[in-house]
Amino acid sequence: MTYSKSPLNYIGGKFKMLPAITKFFPQNINIMYDLFAGGCDVCTNVAANKIYANDINYFVIGIYKTFQQMDTDSLLNAIDEIIEHWQLNMYDSEGFLKLRQHYNDTPIESRNPIELYALVCFSFNYQFRFNNNHSFNNPFGRNRSSFNSTMRKNLVTFHGKIKNILFSNKNFQNLDLSFLSAGDFVYADPPYRITTATYNDGKRGFEGWKLDDDLILFDLLDELNSNGVQFAMSNVVEHKGCENKELCQWMEKYFVHEISYNYNNSNYQTRNKNFSTKEILITNY
């Protein structure tokens, strides 16, 4: 199977892991609900009759919803016009810094999600990062980042796949999943509590992830299981010598699949080779 990549390099994205995790997904899915969609690498590579995708970051969901409102040509033209207007390129930071300042100076409710996407395309490692004031603060990706032909191709493919996805931006605790039943599938890729990244450190204008969040998510998955809904959750049980003891205790009642993945080029990398990151997928089927 050929997997399509999200046009956003969202930290914690699962694109490289898709072959390892989707082989454990149900074969026939009626409704798929992605609780922590992020870059949407997972939900755009799963076949289901209906797909819901949620993420607490309303900036990223705003991008997706704006994409949905535009046809492909209009979307590409809008991005090209922003690049031309601000003279964005991978060698000179002037245009990037001016656009970033313009975007951050604009009231949040009036910000243009396409301008944000253009900023991401010319940012360091294509990352999606904000500070506590909800200002985009990723630095310029000099000599590396641009809206190149690969990014354009990924966007076109992605744009076609999200057409009918129902997006929301809520804390997972506020989602109503009572309509799900047998034949439906929930995928959870929450922030990993024993790791620290820009999406779960509580310093980016969004809520951090703590033990209570883990425990509430465990209860939610238990409830789904009781209602006959299938679920899969990605997580790590070990990282840099730390163990998620609460996760280890909870997952004993379910099926645990160890996922082989090399973190050498990721934020999870550690110089101490005696410390490993153990990625798992937990399923109730």
Side-chain angles (χ1 to χ4, degrees):
M1 177 178 177
T2 300
Y3 298 94
S4 59
K5 190 178 187 306
S6 170
L8 287 176
N9 183 26
Y10 209 84
I11 294 176
K14 288 293 181 288
F15 176 71
K16 293 182 179 179
M17 291 188 188
L18 285 174
I21 63 177
T22 57
K23 69 180 181 181
F24 295 111
F25 284 6
Q27 292 297 310
N28 299 299
I29 302 173
N30 180 31
I31 297 174
M32 189 235 181
Y33 212 122
D34 193 342
L35 296 185
F36 307 89
C40 287
D41 277 315
V42 176
C43 65
T44 55
N45 285 286
V46 171
N49 294 328
K50 183 177 287 187
I51 296 176
Y52 292 79
N54 176 74
D55 198 274
I56 196 172
N57 190 324
Y58 46 81
F59 291 111
V60 71
I61 296 300
I63 288 177
Y64 300 150
K65 287 184 175 181
T66 303
F67 282 0
Q68 286 181 320
Q69 296 167 6
M70 307 173 74
D71 61 57
T72 303
D73 288 340
S74 297
L75 174 57
L76 294 175
N77 288 338
I79 296 170
D80 289 338
E81 287 174 3
I82 291 171
I83 292 173
E84 181 178 0
H85 177 80
W86 295 97
Q87 298 183 343
L88 302 178
N89 62 76
M90 70 170 69
Y91 309 109
D92 184 358
S93 64
E94 182 178 359
F96 172 84
L97 295 176
K98 286 182 178 179
L99 174 57
R100 190 177 69 178
Q101 189 65 51
H102 160 77
Y103 176 82
N104 289 335
D105 287 344
T106 304
I108 290 178
E109 64 275 10
S110 302
R111 289 177 179 176
N112 182 351
I114 306 302
E115 289 182 344
L116 174 57
Y117 179 69
L119 279 172
V120 170
C121 289
F122 289 85
S123 293
F124 177 72
N125 279 351
Y126 301 101
Q127 290 183 1
F128 198 91
R129 199 180 74 177
F130 290 81
N131 63 20
N132 264 340
N133 295 320
H134 287 159
S135 293
F136 183 78
N137 67 348
N138 204 42
F140 178 56
R142 187 180 302 276
N143 298 330
R144 298 186 63 180
S145 302
S146 69
F147 187 57
N148 54 41
S149 58
T150 299
M151 291 282 287
R152 185 180 291 264
K153 179 180 178 181
N154 288 341
L155 176 58
V156 170
T157 301
F158 181 84
H159 186 247
K161 288 191 170 188
I162 66 169
K163 181 179 180 180
N164 296 315
I165 293 180
L166 299 173
F167 288 104
S168 62
N169 58 279
K170 295 182 179 181
N171 185 308
F172 80 97
Q173 300 178 35
N174 299 325
L175 294 172
D176 181 8
L177 305 181
S178 61
F179 67 96
L180 299 176
S181 60
D184 299 332
F185 172 64
V186 172
Y187 175 65
D189 182 28
Y192 299 162
R193 183 166 53 87
I194 60 174
T195 73
T196 300
T198 57
Y199 58 75
N200 70 341
D201 61 7
K203 301 176 182 178
R204 309 292 166 177
F206 299 95
E207 300 172 37
W209 190 269
K210 300 176 181 176
L211 174 59
D212 284 349
D213 297 290
D214 262 354
L215 298 179
I216 292 171
L217 178 58
F218 298 164
D219 287 343
L220 172 62
L221 296 177
D222 284 339
E223 182 178 356
L224 290 172
N225 181 63
S226 298
N227 293 335
V229 179
Q230 293 180 309
F231 73 75
M233 178 173 71
S234 292
N235 218 306
V236 296
V237 291
E238 296 177 10
H239 176 69
K240 294 187 177 180
C242 295
E243 180 185 35
N244 189 332
K245 296 180 180 178
E246 293 78 12
L247 174 63
C248 291
Q249 181 178 2
W250 172 80
M251 71 187 190
E252 289 180 355
K253 68 184 85 171
Y254 298 115
F255 300 95
V256 180
H257 316 275
E258 187 168 351
I259 305 299
S260 298
Y261 183 68
N262 186 343
Y263 281 101
N264 287 343
N265 295 316
S266 77
N267 285 346
Y268 299 131
Q269 182 180 2
T270 175
R271 294 181 180 179
N272 190 333
K273 300 305 180 182
N274 294 321
F275 290 158
S276 62
T277 298
K278 186 176 180 181
E279 181 100 20
I280 58 169
L281 185 75
I282 303 166
T283 65
N284 66 334
Y285 52 88

